[in-house]
Amino acid sequence: MGHSLMQLPDFKESILQSDVALKDTGLVVSRLLSEADDTTFEDTVNAFVGLAAIQIALIDLLRKMGLQPDGIIGHSVGELACGYADGSFTHSEAILAAYWRGHCIKVADLPAGGMAAVGLTWEECISQCPHGVVPACHNAEDSVTISGPQVRLPYFSVIFKSEHT
């Protein structure tokens, strides 16, 4: 997506501004977007920076068109874009926050995590989740996304299915 959008001059200008902000990191987001392959975004830093750069550039593009949001909501790296959209972060601050967030996660060498949607209420999920697995998102009255170590999620899913079928 980012590669195709680079054809739009205002979008490309924003991406090049991200390159300037990232200069000291050695990451060149314009190259990242134009030369990406199937494995490029498996790297946490690349994924976070790529997402943030595209979101920032889309915000810049919409601003150049005279469009301003009535409300803003984001999740994960999208929260950084929200901070940029509402003026809390500069372009440089938002893209560097994405870089350092990805870098810290990458070097922390954390165990693999995962997420799964389960058909439980928030309260049921809190009472039934095993140690280390937590409710992460209240999707609907009877749908919760759980999060935890990747090795624990299949176990909980099997128990949940056997108890609720």
Side-chain angles (χ1 to χ4, degrees):
M1 181 174 82
H3 178 73
S4 298
L5 290 169
M6 290 287 282
Q7 296 174 42
L8 302 171
D10 292 331
F11 185 90
K12 183 176 182 176
E13 179 184 325
S14 180
I15 295 296
L16 295 176
Q17 189 176 343
S18 289
D19 284 347
V20 171
L22 292 163
K23 170 181 51 127
D24 293 339
T25 70
L27 188 61
V28 181
V29 73
S30 60
R31 191 175 320 132
L32 184 74
L33 297 178
S34 65
E35 298 173 7
D37 62 28
D38 291 343
T39 63
T40 300
F41 297 104
E42 290 176 9
D43 179 281
T44 306
V45 176
N46 291 348
F48 283 17
V49 170
L51 285 169
I54 289 170
Q55 291 171 359
I56 290 166
L58 287 170
I59 291 164
D60 288 343
L61 188 61
L62 292 171
R63 283 181 180 159
K64 293 253 176 142
M65 296 167 62
L67 299 172
Q68 293 295 322
D70 290 330
I72 306 168
I73 189 167
H75 171 71
S76 189
V77 175
E79 294 167 334
L80 298 173
C82 287
Y84 175 66
D86 77 6
S88 297
F89 291 142
T90 66
H91 186 132
S92 294
E93 290 167 340
I95 198 70
L96 286 169
Y99 173 84
W100 286 109
R101 181 176 180 218
H103 176 76
C104 289
I105 289 171
K106 186 175 178 177
V107 300
D109 196 29
L110 300 168
M115 299 176 84
V118 295
L120 295 172
T121 67
W122 185 261
E123 293 75 21
E124 289 170 332
C125 196
I126 289 171
S127 67
Q128 294 181 34
C129 280
H131 178 72
V133 177
V134 297
C137 185
H138 193 175
N139 304 323
E141 185 177 329
D142 62 349
S143 176
V144 175
T145 299
I146 57 172
S147 177
Q150 202 169 46
V151 296
R152 300 284 292 164
L153 292 179
Y155 173 75
F156 178 61
S157 296
V158 167
I159 291 172
F160 172 72
K161 285 179 185 173
S162 68
E163 290 177 358
H164 293 86
T165 55

